[in-house]
Amino acid sequence: MLYDRMNRSIGYLRLSITQACQLRCIYCRPALHQNHTDGMLTPAEFGQIAHHFILHHGVQKIRITGGDPTARGDLPEIIGTIATGHSDIDLAMSTNGLALGRLAATCKASGLKRVNISMDTLDESTFERLSGRRGVGQVIAGIDAAIAANLAPVKLNMVVMRGINDGQLASMVDFAAQRNITLRFIELMPMGPLAPNWHQHYAPAASIRRSLEPLTLSWRPLEQGAESSRNFRVVLRDGREVSLGFITPMSCNFCGNCNRLRISCTGDIFPCLMNRPRGTLLPALRPKYDPLRFDALLAEALAAKEAEHPHDGFAVMTSIGG
């Protein structure tokens, strides 16, 4: 296993395979942000990184992120390269869902196990305000395609923003209950375009839960494990049940149990989502794979991992995939 300087074990690798995304969400992506494609890692290099973490460090959980991974035409190849010979690993993907209608079955066949889908609203005008385009129907089609392809469990991630979409919690809970999928509410973080006005739009998990109380009869905590989400099985007042979760990086951070390491699409190493990169893996990948250099670069990066994330984020979210 890998360990950082606080002796936290690293068992979760997140690979951001592109900065490109079809959306420009106001909390994620600056309007003038450019997609840098120079020097992006190849499918073979992503596979080499994944295999190194699996074989040398026992990592069993890998998530493909972006940008949005579906913006890369070679996504099925990347999935297949990572999955080959490692059918037992938990290989997941985070996506905005726009392209899942046509890609879900292919991704499943390539070796993907499950998906998390960003879905902040079911209201088209709010969706357009948040993302810069229309697309609610397309995302819903992607969600249904993921369910049909058994990319399970399908989880929805909703970033809750006060004054923007916090009045739409009930419709999102109803949607998740209808499809028997998990809905997770994420606290807004002070990074990206909304960082200067973060306090204006920040909704802590406690206030989100209070807003949900009129809809619910009971909350049963579920085992959390190493997850960042605090999860519940909730009985609604109409008798239905739904799984809800809260991801609380600001009101109750989970840094003490952080087991994650992020690699960007250009090989940069991010020991922390909200901090600066700490080196790059490129010297261990090009011109050829060097496992000793690989581990030396990892050790150097993990030695710089802090006990907690800073209050304000340095990176653009679309570069490192959340």
Side-chain angles (χ1 to χ4, degrees):
M1 293 290 292
L2 283 172
Y3 294 89
D4 65 16
R5 65 190 183 91
M6 266 64 67
N7 205 37
R8 293 172 295 198
S9 63
I10 306 300
Y12 184 3
L13 175 65
R14 296 175 67 100
L15 294 174
S16 173
I17 67 170
T18 181
Q19 293 187 17
C21 182
Q22 307 93 329
L23 304 179
R24 292 195 175 273
C25 294
I26 60 174
Y27 56 82
C28 176
R29 188 181 183 87
L32 299 178
H33 182 76
Q34 299 298 312
N35 298 325
H36 298 291
T37 58
D38 294 341
M40 279 207 308
L41 299 176
T42 65
E45 288 169 331
F46 283 118
Q48 189 65 74
I49 292 170
H51 297 333
H52 185 98
F53 275 91
I54 295 166
L55 296 175
H56 291 264
H57 302 297
V59 167
Q60 289 293 296
K61 184 174 183 179
I62 298 177
R63 178 172 294 276
I64 298 170
T65 69
D68 194 82
T70 64
R72 276 191 70 145
D74 55 1
L75 172 61
E77 183 182 355
I78 293 172
I79 294 170
T81 302
I82 294 171
T84 298
H86 302 294
S87 60
D88 57 331
I89 68 165
D90 179 8
L91 181 56
M93 181 173 74
S94 292
T95 175
N96 58 36
L98 285 169
L100 276 183
R102 61 179 174 83
L103 287 176
T106 300
C107 288
K108 178 70 174 182
S110 299
L112 191 68
K113 299 287 183 64
R114 57 190 181 89
V115 290
N116 289 5
I117 300 169
S118 297
M119 183 70 168
D120 298 325
T121 179
L122 291 165
D123 177 75
E124 192 71 81
S125 62
T126 306
F127 188 95
E128 188 170 10
R129 176 187 176 187
L130 283 171
S131 69
R133 60 166 285 177
R134 301 176 73 83
V136 168
Q138 203 171 334
V139 177
I140 292 174
I143 293 167
D144 290 339
I147 294 170
N150 196 32
L151 287 168
V154 174
K155 296 179 182 179
L156 301 187
N157 289 338
M158 178 186 185
V159 177
V160 181
M161 291 156 280
R162 185 155 53 92
I164 298 177
N165 67 346
D166 59 334
Q168 300 171 25
L169 301 176
S171 62
M172 290 294 293
V173 170
D174 178 68
F175 180 85
Q178 285 178 14
R179 286 165 170 77
N180 193 29
I181 55 181
T182 297
L183 171 62
R184 305 190 304 176
F185 304 105
I186 303 177
E187 292 180 340
L188 181 69
M189 291 183 285
M191 58 190 301
L194 282 187
N197 301 314
W198 172 74
H199 283 291
Q200 178 182 344
H201 297 296
Y202 170 62
S207 70
I208 298 170
R209 179 159 173 172
R210 282 196 300 271
S211 297
L212 294 171
E213 291 295 344
L215 307 175
T216 65
L217 288 174
S218 65
W219 297 67
R220 176 170 59 86
L222 301 176
E223 184 177 350
Q224 183 176 342
E227 283 196 31
S228 58
S229 178
R230 292 171 171 83
N231 303 309
F232 301 85
R233 189 65 179 172
V234 178
V235 178
L236 303 177
R237 292 190 180 274
D238 61 10
R240 294 179 298 167
E241 294 189 14
V242 64
S243 293
L244 302 178
F246 297 88
I247 298 177
T248 58
M250 305 310 300
S251 67
C252 184
N253 74 50
F254 33 87
C255 297
N257 295 320
C258 182
N259 66 342
R260 302 179 178 197
L261 187 71
R262 296 167 175 85
I263 308 297
S264 78
C265 64
T266 54
D268 290 337
I269 308 170
F270 285 83
C272 175
L273 170 65
M274 292 183 68
N275 219 322
R276 296 180 177 89
R278 304 295 183 177
T280 174
L281 286 176
L282 285 182
L285 296 171
R286 299 173 181 173
K288 63 179 182 179
Y289 168 58
D290 182 341
L292 295 179
R293 188 75 182 278
F294 196 112
D295 279 342
L297 293 168
L298 283 182
E300 185 176 344
L302 287 173
K305 185 170 173 128
E306 302 290 345
E308 293 189 357
H309 64 67
H311 185 272
D312 297 309
F314 292 94
V316 177
M317 186 75 78
T318 193
S319 301
I320 48 177

